[in-house]
């Protein structure tokens, strides 16, 4: 994943797919379960830990995989899911770096300073 060069690239790292994937409590729980187990798990293993139907768990895992959070490996008739730690950490680090650059630009840029009208509105 490429790191943005300027704050104009903040939108590039704030991809909706990752936030959509991690924005659901069941999907966050699935990631948590995989991290707790420290190994790849099948859909049925994960479904046993949740109060959700197997097909729903499968759809959640597919969405997490499409967002780059998980990797799926087919072994025989089973598909095992595991967290993609390095790519996920790199993506989150890229978001943090872009936010820090945006904050620094905001504090040093005249274009981000409040205008006279903004100051008047704040005091009335």
């Amino acid at each position: 994943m490429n790191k943005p060069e300027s704050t104009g690239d903040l939108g590039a790292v704030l991809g909706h797919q990752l936030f959509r994937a991690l924005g659901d409590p069941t999907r966050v729980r699935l990631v948590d379960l995989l991290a707790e187990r420290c190994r790849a798990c099948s859909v049925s293993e994960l479904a046993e830990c949740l109060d959700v139907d197997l097909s729903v768990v499968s759809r959640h895992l597919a969405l997490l995989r499409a967002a780059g959070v998980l990797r799926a490996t087919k072994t025989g008739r089973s598909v095992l899911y595991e967290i993609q730690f390095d790519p996920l950490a790199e993506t989150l680090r890229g978001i943090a770096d872009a936010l820090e650059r945006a904050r620094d630009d905001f504090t040093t840029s005249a274009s981000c300073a409040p205008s006279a009208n903004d100051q008047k509105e704040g005091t009335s």
Side-chain angles (χ1 to χ4, degrees), residues 3-109:
K3 293 187 179 177
E5 297 296 320
S6 70
T7 57
D9 293 329
L10 183 59
V13 295
L14 293 175
H16 74 281
Q17 211 172 12
L18 176 64
F19 287 99
R20 179 177 176 224
L22 296 176
D24 180 271
T26 301
R27 289 191 286 272
V28 171
R29 180 67 182 128
L30 284 166
V31 173
D32 190 37
L33 285 168
L34 286 165
E36 285 175 3
R37 291 178 177 220
C38 299
R39 63 179 175 82
C41 296
S42 69
V43 176
S44 57
E45 286 180 279
L46 295 166
E48 289 174 4
C49 301
L50 300 170
D51 200 21
V52 181
D53 189 58
L54 186 75
S55 64
V56 174
V57 172
S58 183
R59 285 195 306 266
H60 283 307
L61 291 169
L63 203 149
L64 287 163
R65 182 177 171 218
V69 176
L70 302 180
R71 171 184 21 258
T73 307
K74 188 166 175 113
T75 57
R77 299 176 115 196
S78 295
V79 177
L80 299 178
Y81 291 88
E82 63 185 315
I83 300 170
Q84 293 201 84
F85 290 103
D86 292 339
L88 182 57
E90 183 180 325
T91 297
L92 294 172
R93 202 170 289 115
I95 291 169
D97 291 347
L99 285 169
E100 287 177 354
R101 282 191 300 276
R103 180 202 57 216
D104 293 345
D105 287 351
F106 178 80
T107 59
T108 60
S109 175

